């Protein structure tokens, strides 16, 4: 019986995806619920698992091709058995070892002996830009060491081979070889604009990266973005965290970080300034009476913003656990569509990368985003005395169509006050 592999329902408003990578090859065995391939959408990367055990019989859509929801990707022969790649290699080795050696018959003068194909002619993965250079210089790809992902050959690998001469040009076989062939001149290294192009690597933009670019540009073109800044003295929070972090982790099984304080401080400020927790829908302003906090996470694929739902109802420990879980899912590529939808306000932390100051861009359709930054000791005047304090710059980017300057500044000051006196958060002040 043949089982079809189809594109699953991808989530609200998502109708297309790109085939990122097949984990199995035709003829290989697959187990039930084993990942078969990876699909890239404009929001997340997700895996498609085998619904039944068997053998991968056919791959219909190749890597890099776009597909719609419900499209046929491949087929599994249910119950059939196949070989794993390593098993095939071992079987091939055993077959060669068991095959008796035979003495080849001398070739007749009228029939030239077939040329032995070198081992270097084995099939290797070559990126398109590298293949172009290989073809132009008539090189043997099998003699070039690939340093790209999964051993793929890049432009840089080909250029290196050209410089050290490790990949000698391939030549067509002839019936009679000349007694002494002149040494082939080394291929001329590209010069001018072509040399710069040879040192570049052109990679197709992923669907996620294209979506990020489109959303950020749309935010700039649509919203009336403005950023207001303030700074917060982190002394009280650092002291509180240092005093209770071991007891907190022992009791709750999670580290006491900064994000729970910032999340709680933002929720308190949002409750006081409802416009910051609103959005525009056509000619209407929609005020949200719930607090779904988006926490920006940087991944290898790009920036994603998973959502911590109803964060106002969570304790400090639950906030820390929720953020840690979302962050791990984001880095592992396990986020679902539901994890990325419904946010009302976003917090982004450039400080983990060393950023001292920045102006974050809105995450549409939200009306505001708070930017955290690096904690840095600076001299501050406190009651007429100069003292060193651990300071952090805060940046609130907001949509001026919804939020007035007074509301934006009030929000940021409330966040500052709560962070500089964390007991206010515990007493709901």
């Amino acid at each position: 019986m043949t089982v079809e592999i189809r594109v699953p329902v991808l989530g609200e408003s998502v109708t297309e995806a790109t085939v990122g990578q097949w984990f199995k090859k035709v003829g290989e065995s697959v187990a039930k619920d084993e990942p078969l391939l990876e699909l890239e959408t404009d929001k997340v990367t997700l895996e498609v698992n085998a619904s039944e055990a068997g053998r991968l019989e056919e791959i219909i859509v190749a890597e890099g091709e776009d597909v719609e929801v419900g499209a046929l990707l491949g087929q599994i022969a249910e119950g059939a058995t196949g070989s794993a790649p390593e098993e095939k290699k071992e079987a091939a080795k055993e077959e060669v070892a068991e095959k008796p050696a035979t003495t080849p018959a001398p070739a007749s003068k009228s029939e030239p002996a077939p040329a032995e194909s070198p081992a270097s002619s084995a099939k290797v993965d070559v990126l398109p830009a590298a293949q172009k250079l290989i073809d132009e210089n008539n090189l043997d790809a099998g003699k070039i060491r690939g340093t790209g992902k999964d051993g793929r050959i890049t432009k840089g690998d080909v250029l290196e081979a050209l410089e050290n001469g490790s990949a000698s040009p391939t030549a067509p076989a002839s019936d009679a070889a000349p007694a002494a062939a002149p040494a082939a001149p080394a291929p001329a290294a590209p010069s001018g604009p072509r040399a710069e192009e040879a040192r570049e690597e052109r990679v197709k933009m992923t669907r996620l990266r294209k979506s990020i670019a489109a959303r950020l540009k749309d935010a700039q073109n649509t919203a009336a973005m403005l950023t207001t800044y303030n700074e917060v003295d982190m002394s009280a929070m650092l002291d509180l965290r240092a005093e209770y972090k071991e007891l907190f982790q022992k009791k709750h099984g999670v580290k006491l970080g900064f994000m729970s304080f910032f999340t709680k401080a933002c929720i308190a400020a949002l409750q006081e300034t409802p416009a910051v927790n609103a959005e525009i829908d056509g000619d209407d302003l929609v005020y949200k009476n719930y607090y779904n906090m988006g926490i920006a996470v940087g991944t290898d694929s790009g920036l994603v913003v998973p959502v911590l739902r109803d964060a106002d109802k969570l304790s400090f420990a639950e906030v820390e656990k929720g953020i840690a879980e979302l962050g791990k899912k984001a880095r592992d590529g396990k986020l679902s569509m539901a994890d990325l939808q419904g946010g009302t306000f976003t917090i982004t932390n450039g400080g983990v990368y060393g950023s001292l100051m920045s102006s974050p861009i809105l995450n549409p359709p939200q009306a505001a985003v708070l930017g955290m930054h690096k904690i840095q000791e600076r001299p501050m005047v406190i009651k007429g005395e100069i003292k060193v304090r651990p300071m952090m710059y805060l940046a609130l980017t907001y949509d001026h169509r919804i939020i007035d300057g007074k509301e934006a500044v009030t929000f940021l000051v409330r966040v500052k006050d709560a962070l500089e006196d964390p007991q206010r958060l515990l007493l709901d002040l």
Side-chain angles (χ1 to χ4, degrees):
M1 178 179 176
T2 300
V3 178
E4 295 181 338
I5 308 168
R6 292 188 176 273
V7 180
V9 176
L10 301 171
E12 181 183 353
S13 75
V14 181
T15 59
E16 289 186 333
T18 301
V19 177
Q21 178 184 2
W22 279 92
F23 303 128
K24 293 287 185 178
K25 296 180 180 179
V26 173
E28 291 184 5
S29 295
V30 296
K32 185 175 181 179
D33 296 327
E34 184 179 9
L36 293 175
L37 72 152
E38 191 176 64
L39 291 177
E40 297 177 356
T41 73
D42 58 357
K43 294 183 178 180
V44 294
T45 298
L46 52 90
E47 294 177 347
V48 177
N49 298 333
S51 59
E52 299 293 340
R55 182 184 68 246
L56 183 58
E57 190 173 63
E58 182 181 10
I59 292 178
I60 296 175
V61 183
E63 296 179 0
E65 294 188 16
D66 294 336
V67 289
E68 295 183 350
V69 172
L72 184 62
L73 298 168
Q75 297 187 94
I76 296 174
E78 184 182 358
T81 58
S83 299
E86 293 301 322
E87 294 175 351
K88 291 180 180 179
K89 292 180 181 179
E90 292 300 326
K93 289 180 181 179
E94 292 176 3
E95 182 180 349
V96 172
E98 294 174 0
K99 187 176 181 180
T102 57
T103 304
S108 63
K109 294 182 180 179
S110 60
E111 297 180 1
E116 181 182 355
S117 56
S120 61
S121 63
K123 183 179 179 181
V124 293
D125 288 332
V126 184
L127 293 177
Q131 186 64 54
K132 182 180 178 183
L133 278 178
I134 290 173
D135 295 340
E136 289 176 351
N137 295 280
N138 194 28
L139 300 180
D140 185 352
K143 296 181 179 180
I144 301 175
R145 184 175 65 89
T147 60
K149 184 178 179 181
D150 299 329
R152 293 175 181 173
I153 297 175
T154 66
K155 278 187 179 179
D157 299 330
V158 179
L159 290 173
E160 183 180 353
L162 285 172
E163 291 177 2
N164 57 34
S166 60
S168 56
T170 56
S174 60
D175 292 340
S191 60
R194 183 181 171 189
E196 295 180 355
E197 181 181 345
R199 289 182 290 173
E200 299 173 351
E201 183 173 351
R202 187 178 295 272
V203 180
K204 184 179 179 181
M205 189 180 292
T206 65
R207 186 177 290 272
L208 176 60
R209 175 55 62 185
K210 286 190 289 187
S211 175
I212 291 172
R215 286 172 63 84
L216 293 179
K217 189 57 183 174
D218 183 62
Q220 285 186 322
N221 294 339
T222 304
M225 288 196 296
L226 187 62
T227 306
T228 184
Y229 303 92
N230 212 317
E231 58 182 351
V232 56
D233 185 344
M234 299 287 288
S235 300
M237 188 188 302
L238 290 172
D239 292 342
L240 183 65
R241 181 170 176 266
E243 182 176 356
Y244 293 108
K245 65 178 182 180
E246 292 183 4
L247 183 60
F248 186 90
Q249 184 170 8
K250 183 178 180 180
K251 180 175 180 179
H252 300 293
V254 65
K255 292 182 179 180
L256 178 61
F258 295 127
M259 290 305 300
S260 56
F261 288 96
F262 276 86
T263 300
K264 289 293 186 180
C266 287
I267 291 171
L270 289 171
Q271 291 171 338
E272 187 172 338
T273 53
V276 185
N277 201 46
E279 69 177 59
I280 292 179
D281 183 14
D283 295 331
D284 298 329
L285 290 177
V286 181
Y287 292 91
K288 309 295 180 66
N289 297 319
Y290 54 92
Y291 305 92
N292 292 345
M293 307 300 287
I295 309 297
V297 179
T299 69
D300 294 338
S301 302
L303 185 72
V304 293
V305 188
V307 177
L308 187 67
R309 297 183 180 281
D310 294 320
D312 57 313
K313 300 177 182 178
L314 304 178
S315 66
F316 274 77
E318 289 171 333
V319 170
E320 291 289 355
K321 289 178 182 178
I323 292 175
E325 181 181 349
L326 290 172
K328 184 178 186 303
K329 289 173 69 175
R331 289 185 291 272
D332 294 343
K334 304 295 185 182
L335 287 173
S336 66
M337 291 296 174
D339 292 327
L340 299 172
Q341 296 172 348
T344 63
F345 182 84
T346 294
I347 302 174
T348 179
N349 185 6
V352 295
Y353 305 110
S355 172
L356 186 63
M357 174 74 79
S358 67
S359 300
I361 297 179
L362 292 177
N363 181 25
Q366 297 171 23
V369 54
L370 179 75
M372 300 166 54
H373 298 91
K374 176 184 177 182
I375 299 174
Q376 186 176 61
E377 290 189 340
R378 295 198 297 272
M380 304 296 295
V381 178
I382 301 174
K383 296 181 180 180
E385 296 181 4
I386 298 178
K387 295 185 179 182
V388 176
R389 287 286 189 266
M391 305 298 296
M392 176 192 286
Y393 287 117
L394 300 180
L396 179 73
T397 297
Y398 60 98
D399 190 343
H400 215 339
R401 298 176 303 166
I402 306 175
I403 305 167
D404 293 331
K406 177 184 176 182
E407 293 170 311
V409 173
T410 299
F411 173 89
L412 203 53
V413 170
R414 293 295 178 268
V415 172
K416 169 186 169 68
D417 291 343
L419 295 174
E420 291 185 339
D421 187 7
Q423 286 83 355
R424 295 169 62 99
L425 297 174
L426 302 177
L427 298 175
D428 193 21
L429 298 176

